[in-house]
Amino acid sequence: MLDVLFPKRCALCDNVLRGDEIGLGCCKMCDERVERIRSPRCYACGAPLLSFDKELCDDCIDRPRSYESNRAVYAYGDMVKDSLMRFKYHNRREYAAFYGQVIAEELDDYIKSSGVQALVPIPVHKNRRKKRGYNQAELLANEISRYCGVKVLNKYLIRSQETTAQKGLSNLERLKNLENTFNVTQDMIQLDKVMLVDDIFTTGSTIEACTRVLLRAGVSKVYALTVAVGQGY
Ligand SMILES: [Zn+2]
Ligand SMILES: [Zn+2]
């Protein structure tokens, strides 16, 4: 009955799925069309590169980076962009299961070889979480954890300020400002390596800011993974 009223839809294009596609979570056509990132990729942000001659994309060459690396499954094309908007702002929390499965397929080796002890979702401020009802990064981390067995710490890192006034600031000042909005709350927990989890890596400033806060709290290495990453050629 529920399936008739609310048929399962493709996480990528939002069309109703055929019976044989339900397990996949997206249409077969979307699965073939969407670009999964393969080598060569930027060593830092994980964006696809055009040739093996480079290790870093143009953006990462002068981007401050305290995290070890980020890996993403998809390049940030229109289809993925629209899907992540629905996931984040339009209550399509069921996408977490789809993306969690895709991440587990693609990034299992990355997670295992990093040796991280915990997955840490990028936090949203509690007011925003209340309004939206969920934090998409947390849902995603929970799903990934089911596959890789690494625990999720979702109260370890919090966002203590809702907004950051960024107008008229230099990039470095913006980063510093952003850094001040995050806090580690459970500093009795000693962690060596952790994996930040988010839906999208664009400028990398959120992941960089969170990394700095974690390193200050005594974590030795911070890795990151996201569903998508912007083009950084
Ligand atoms: Zn589709
Ligand atoms: Zn890069």
Side-chain angles (χ1 to χ4, degrees):
M1 185 61 187
L2 277 174
D3 282 351
V4 177
L5 288 175
F6 304 103
K8 297 261 185 319
R9 289 175 176 272
C10 169
L12 292 167
C13 75
D14 205 28
N15 286 325
V16 174
L17 292 174
R18 293 194 320 239
D20 60 334
E21 294 169 333
I22 287 172
L24 197 61
C26 69
C27 339
K28 281 187 180 141
M29 223 163 70
C30 284
D31 192 40
E32 281 161 23
R33 242 175 60 200
V34 70
E35 185 194 350
R36 289 199 190 192
I37 299 170
R38 301 272 174 251
S39 297
R41 60 169 79 84
C42 171
Y43 180 80
C45 73
L49 293 176
L50 293 175
S51 91
F52 281 97
D53 298 338
K54 294 201 288 184
E55 282 199 334
L56 295 173
C57 71
D58 292 349
D59 287 342
C60 282
I61 287 170
D62 42 27
R63 211 179 238 165
R65 176 166 56 96
S66 311
Y67 55 94
E68 299 299 309
S69 54
N70 181 63
R71 285 291 173 273
V73 175
Y74 297 121
Y76 198 40
D78 287 342
M79 193 159 63
V80 171
K81 193 174 179 176
D82 291 347
S83 167
L84 290 179
M85 287 289 280
R86 294 191 299 273
F87 180 35
K88 199 165 173 170
Y89 300 112
H90 300 283
N91 206 23
R92 307 302 288 272
R93 8 191 144 183
E94 72 270 23
Y95 287 9
F98 170 74
Y99 284 124
Q101 189 180 339
V102 175
I103 287 172
E105 276 167 33
E106 293 285 324
L107 301 177
D108 190 52
D109 285 348
Y110 173 64
I111 299 170
K112 298 238 161 80
S113 62
S114 68
V116 294
Q117 290 126 6
L119 303 176
V120 176
I122 298 289
V124 294
H125 189 267
K126 60 177 191 300
N127 292 350
R128 187 176 287 190
R129 194 183 190 289
K130 211 169 177 182
K131 211 169 137 197
R132 216 184 274 167
Y134 61 103
N135 169 8
Q136 78 286 351
E138 195 180 312
L139 299 182
L140 203 55
N142 289 340
E143 289 293 330
I144 300 165
S145 173
R146 294 202 306 128
Y147 293 98
C148 70
V150 179
K151 69 180 174 208
V152 180
L153 288 181
N154 56 29
K155 293 188 175 66
Y156 181 70
L157 184 67
I158 62 154
R159 187 163 182 150
S160 44
Q161 284 174 50
E162 198 164 9
T163 48
T164 341
Q166 299 282 41
K167 232 177 154 189
L169 298 179
S170 72
N171 284 347
L172 274 178
E173 286 166 333
R174 277 165 191 259
L175 185 59
K176 191 79 212 153
N177 226 0
L178 187 60
E179 204 179 316
N180 290 332
T181 68
F182 295 103
N183 284 95
V184 164
T185 55
Q186 298 166 300
D187 44 15
M188 62 297 225
I189 301 178
Q190 277 307 312
L191 294 164
D192 186 29
K193 298 174 186 173
V194 304
M195 179 78 68
L196 288 168
V197 176
D198 206 1
D199 51 344
I200 162 90
F201 183 112
T202 43
T203 65
S205 53
T206 306
I207 284 179
E208 175 62 19
C210 288
T211 298
R212 292 180 181 197
V213 172
L214 292 171
L215 294 177
R216 262 207 315 271
V219 174
S220 76
K221 281 184 177 168
V222 178
Y223 296 82
L225 70 79
T226 55
V227 171
V229 61
Q231 304 285 354
Y233 296 135

